Amino acid sequence: MLSEWTPVALSADLPAGTVMPARTPAGPIALWRSQSGHAAASADRCPHRGMRLSHGFVRGEALSCIYHGWSYARTGNCLRIPAHPALTPPETIRVETHEVKESGGVIWVAVGEPTKQPPRLEGLAPLRSLTAHAGIAVLEAVAGAKADPEGLVWQVQSSQEIRLLLVPQEDDQTLIHVLLDDKSSASQRVAASRATESLRRTAEYLQAKGIAS
């Protein structure tokens, strides 16, 4: 469904100088933004002792491991080893990285070498992200629509159209990014948020009862 590019987060949820865990079909990543505002995606494992880099911190243009402070550039090469400050780390010390694109307030991460750009969701603006303890098939059943690479178009009872980007997570969970028409009013945004919460609750109930799958 979301083959080459995965919408891992909303741009607003990743301020400069922060790091957060995220997930792609290739596995967990550390999603981070440098102080200059560039988003980056690194494999969520420090090559030194295997600590999760998403537990680390951003300083300047580098992501540092919380354990021993080894620092990595957006390109993946090791920049600094605090225990050996005079050492220039060899090029062989690297962390795997993934291509990142930001479009329309959504952060997309590529798996492998993409052959095309991520979807351009024209006329839409991100509202929020939330996680449902239910699989994509259950969410599709509740919404009465199927998702494609540009998301699931959900027509709610108020005739408002909501676009949902659905990203599978571990343990039958799904990350949901909610997008609306970029001209939506404040009341429409509140209504869409409440409708999505209701969708999540219904899907989680059905998942727990094994009614839909």
Side-chain angles (χ1 to χ4, degrees):
M1 178 174 41
L2 294 168
S3 53
E4 293 188 330
W5 293 94
T6 300
V8 294
L10 301 183
S11 297
D13 293 334
L14 188 70
T18 62
V19 58
M20 63 185 290
R23 190 168 189 85
T24 73
I29 60 170
L31 183 68
W32 57 286
R33 193 184 296 280
S34 69
Q35 292 290 354
S36 65
H38 292 95
S42 307
D44 200 8
R45 183 181 185 279
C46 180
H48 181 215
R49 292 293 179 87
M51 176 64 73
R52 287 188 178 274
L53 288 173
S54 59
H55 293 167
F57 57 94
V58 177
R59 183 170 294 162
E61 302 303 296
L63 173 64
S64 297
C65 180
I66 195 68
Y67 196 13
H68 292 106
W70 288 31
S71 298
Y72 302 92
R74 287 187 289 121
T75 52
N77 56 300
C78 184
L79 296 173
R80 181 173 179 268
I81 300 176
H84 304 280
L87 173 70
T88 298
E91 278 292 321
T92 53
I93 302 178
R94 305 184 63 85
V95 63
E96 183 184 4
T97 61
H98 302 277
E99 186 175 351
V100 177
K101 296 283 187 183
E102 292 193 70
S103 176
V106 178
I107 303 175
W108 300 81
V109 172
V111 175
E113 294 292 332
T115 60
K116 56 187 177 182
Q117 295 297 307
R120 293 181 61 85
L121 304 174
E122 301 287 353
L124 296 174
L127 176 62
R128 60 177 297 196
S129 297
L130 64 162
T131 298
H133 292 265
I136 288 178
V138 182
L139 289 162
E140 289 177 329
V142 176
K146 288 286 187 180
D148 63 24
E150 294 190 358
L152 181 153
V153 179
W154 179 33
Q155 199 78 28
V156 295
Q157 290 182 350
S158 62
S159 298
Q160 183 180 20
E161 190 174 280
I162 302 174
R163 183 75 60 92
L164 304 178
L165 300 179
L166 306 178
V167 188
Q169 305 291 294
E170 292 183 297
D171 302 323
D172 284 328
Q173 298 183 53
T174 302
L175 176 63
I176 306 171
H177 302 301
V178 186
L179 297 94
L180 295 178
D181 187 300
D182 57 11
K183 297 180 178 61
S184 296
S185 65
S187 61
Q188 288 175 320
R189 292 171 67 85
V190 170
S193 183
R194 290 174 176 170
T196 307
E197 288 279 4
S198 178
L199 174 78
R200 175 174 68 173
R201 287 194 298 270
T202 302
E204 289 179 339
Y205 172 80
L206 295 176
Q207 179 91 20
K209 296 294 184 180
I211 298 174
S213 60

